[in-house]
């Protein structure tokens, strides 16, 4: 297994875990919600979501295509038949 891990470390992985903040203050992302780019292509999925009292909006962690994990990237979260605008943010340890 270590050869695979070393190869992924050198070349990168296709998906990464990223923090996402909803731009709508009443949206609450949930596990399994899909994430799309602005062209409507599925680029990941939500692993967990919650309401942030400090930010007063929904936040989530999502596995996204690695190229989209830069803070400031705009995405859409598909929730309950709606596409909610969201932005990739720094995680607390960054």
């Amino acid at each position: 297994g270590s050869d695979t891990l070393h190869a992924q470390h050198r070349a990168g992985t296709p998906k990464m875990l990223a923090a996402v903040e909803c731009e709508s203050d009443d949206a609450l992302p949930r596990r399994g919600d899909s994430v799309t780019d602005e062209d409507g292509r599925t680029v990941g999925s939500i692993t967990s979501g919650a309401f942030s009292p400090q930010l007063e909006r929904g936040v989530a962690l999502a596995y996204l295509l690695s190229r989209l994990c830069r803070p400031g990237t705009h995405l859409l979260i598909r929730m309950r038949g709606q596409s909610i605008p969201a932005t990739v943010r720094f995680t607390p340890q960054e």
Side-chain angles (χ1 to χ4, degrees), residues 13-80:
T13 57
K15 289 189 176 186
M16 294 176 60
L17 192 64
V20 180
E21 178 183 337
C22 292
E23 294 177 14
S24 172
D25 57 353
D26 62 346
L28 188 58
R30 293 288 185 208
R31 180 176 181 232
D33 288 343
S34 64
V35 181
T36 64
D37 61 13
E38 292 178 332
D39 295 327
R41 294 179 297 241
T42 300
V43 294
S45 63
I46 301 295
T47 61
S48 63
F51 178 77
S52 169
Q54 185 175 10
L55 298 173
E56 297 183 352
R57 60 189 60 220
V59 295
L61 290 175
Y63 272 112
L64 303 174
L65 295 176
S66 296
R67 63 183 168 80
L68 298 174
C69 290
R70 290 186 191 95
T73 302
H74 295 283
L75 302 167
L76 298 169
I77 301 175
R78 193 88 177 123
M79 291 184 244
R80 297 173 290 282

